[in-house]
């Protein structure tokens, strides 16, 4: 019986904001604290968080990323969410 290797969560911090993210192969859904990224407001923060996806192009297609953030202000949370997405893409593509 073979055991699956469990990947440790991806972590990022900024001031008081702490984020932990996990990713897996899926339909390309990104959730922040169980809410879809598309529901994040204001739109300027949403586009700031999505920048790593735009830079990666097609490399990020088919990745489900779940991010859980605690503490910090709105901008600090956006920074750590963005960092977790970028780290997940790098780890997934091994590039």
């Amino acid at each position: 019986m073979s055991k699956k290797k469990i990947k440790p969560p991806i972590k990022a911090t900024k001031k008081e904001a702490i984020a932990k993210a996990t990713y897996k192969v899926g339909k390309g859904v990104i959730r922040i604290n169980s809410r879809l990224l598309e529901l994040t407001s204001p739109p300027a923060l949403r586009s700031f968080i999505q920048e790593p996806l735009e830079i990666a192009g097609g490399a990020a297609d088919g990745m489900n990323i779940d991010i859980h953030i605690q503490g910090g202000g709105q901008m600090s949370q956006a920074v750590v969410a963005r960092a977790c997405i970028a780290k997940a893409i790098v780890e997934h593509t091994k590039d």
Side-chain angles (χ1 to χ4, degrees), residues 47-67:
S47 64
F48 178 75
I49 294 169
Q50 288 176 331
E51 281 180 355
L53 298 170
E54 295 168 4
I55 293 170
D61 291 345
M63 284 179 62
N64 287 355
I65 304 173
D66 293 319
I67 305 168

Side-chain angles (χ1 to χ4, degrees), residues 1-61:
M1 190 159 115
S2 65
K3 291 184 178 181
K4 284 189 176 181
K5 189 174 181 182
I6 299 173
K7 294 178 279 186
I10 297 165
K11 297 177 184 175
T13 60
K14 167 82 172 161
K15 295 184 180 180
E16 294 292 318
I18 300 169
K20 294 179 184 176
T22 57
Y23 72 90
K24 60 184 175 182
V25 176
K27 297 181 180 180
V29 177
I30 298 176
R31 293 182 182 273
I32 299 174
N33 291 338
S34 301
R35 294 184 58 197
L36 292 173
L37 177 61
E38 291 79 26
L39 300 177
T40 303
S41 63
L45 279 181
R46 181 174 47 242
S47 64
F48 178 75
I49 294 169
Q50 288 176 331
E51 281 180 355
L53 298 170
E54 295 168 4
I55 293 170
D61 291 345

Side-chain angles (χ1 to χ4, degrees), residues 12-19 70-77 79-80:
T13 60
K14 167 82 172 161
K15 295 184 180 180
E16 294 292 318
I18 300 169
Q70 292 180 328
Q74 197 173 25
M75 193 62 196
S76 292
Q77 288 187 354
V79 169
V80 294

Side-chain angles (χ1 to χ4, degrees), residues 77-94:
Q77 288 187 354
V79 169
V80 294
R82 180 180 187 222
C84 282
I85 291 171
K87 288 179 180 182
I89 292 169
V90 168
E91 192 173 304
H92 178 69
T93 59
K94 295 173 180 55

